Amino acid sequence: PAAMSSTSRYAPAWRALFRILQEETVWPDGFDPRLGVLFAGYDPNRPAPLEVVVVLGEAEEDQDWATTGQRARDDRLQTSLYVETAIPNRTAMQALDRLESFTVTIENKLRDSVIPANRPVELVDTFLWWEVVRVLPDVAPLKGGGGYGGRATVVVGLKSRI
């Protein structure tokens, strides 16, 4: 029997987020997205990067019936990004400022990609919108001393018609 394709949008959404953040986003000075934007985590056999944006491989999803017709369901998905900055010898305020520059960059990029001309190609035929739903930040001393670092979970909501 032929395999049925999934109507869930989690895999295309993860691909789109990863590609947009790695290839199309202008990041704060000093951040290299080719090294620091990752999917599902970083290689434990290599030193952890000082700054990282990770598209987490987890999602919460639900679907509702929409209108009648071929695309008759609304698919709502929430997935998370993990952002961390651990540059040594920063004050707590410097770490907060750097963390905020990353989360604002993500919010602005997702907002820009809702414009029809900028919609992600992975979702173009089903995409309705996505947005940053919430940011959960934390600034704390770095392990081993040497200043402060920041980390945040950025929850992204996506709605598509399937």
Side-chain angles (χ1 to χ4, degrees):
M4 293 183 63
S5 62
S6 173
T7 56
S8 174
R9 305 314 295 156
Y10 72 88
W14 286 339
R15 287 184 192 100
L17 277 170
F18 180 73
R19 181 187 54 75
I20 287 167
L21 296 175
Q22 190 175 60
E23 298 174 8
E24 296 182 4
T25 303
V26 178
W27 290 99
D29 289 342
F31 181 72
D32 184 348
R34 294 166 299 164
L35 302 175
V37 176
L38 308 170
F39 179 73
Y42 50 85
D43 183 350
N45 298 316
R46 297 176 55 190
L50 293 178
E51 295 186 307
V52 66
V53 176
V54 180
V55 178
L56 297 176
E58 58 188 41
E60 293 180 24
E61 180 178 41
D62 67 354
Q63 296 180 358
D64 285 334
W65 289 102
T67 59
T68 58
Q70 194 166 357
R71 291 200 176 126
R73 284 181 288 160
D74 286 335
D75 188 35
R76 284 183 308 282
L77 170 76
Q78 282 193 353
T79 192
S80 297
L81 309 174
Y82 175 77
V83 180
E84 184 172 38
T85 178
I87 297 174
N89 304 315
R90 295 266 171 118
T91 66
M93 272 308 164
Q94 288 171 323
L96 174 63
D97 291 345
R98 184 70 174 178
L99 184 63
E100 183 182 35
S101 70
F102 276 81
T103 59
V104 166
T105 297
I106 292 166
E107 286 186 75
N108 289 339
K109 187 61 182 177
L110 292 182
R111 189 177 307 116
D112 291 346
S113 68
V114 173
I115 298 166
N118 297 339
R119 288 187 173 175
V121 296
E122 298 87 347
L123 299 165
V124 73
D125 58 341
T126 62
F127 183 84
L128 296 177
W129 57 258
W130 60 10
E131 66 183 352
V132 171
V133 176
R134 67 184 160 280
V135 177
L136 306 167
D138 180 35
V139 174
L142 295 173
K143 291 181 182 176
Y148 287 80
R151 64 184 67 84
T153 300
V154 179
V155 180
V156 176
L158 165 76
K159 186 174 181 181
S160 59
R161 178 69 48 89
I162 56 174

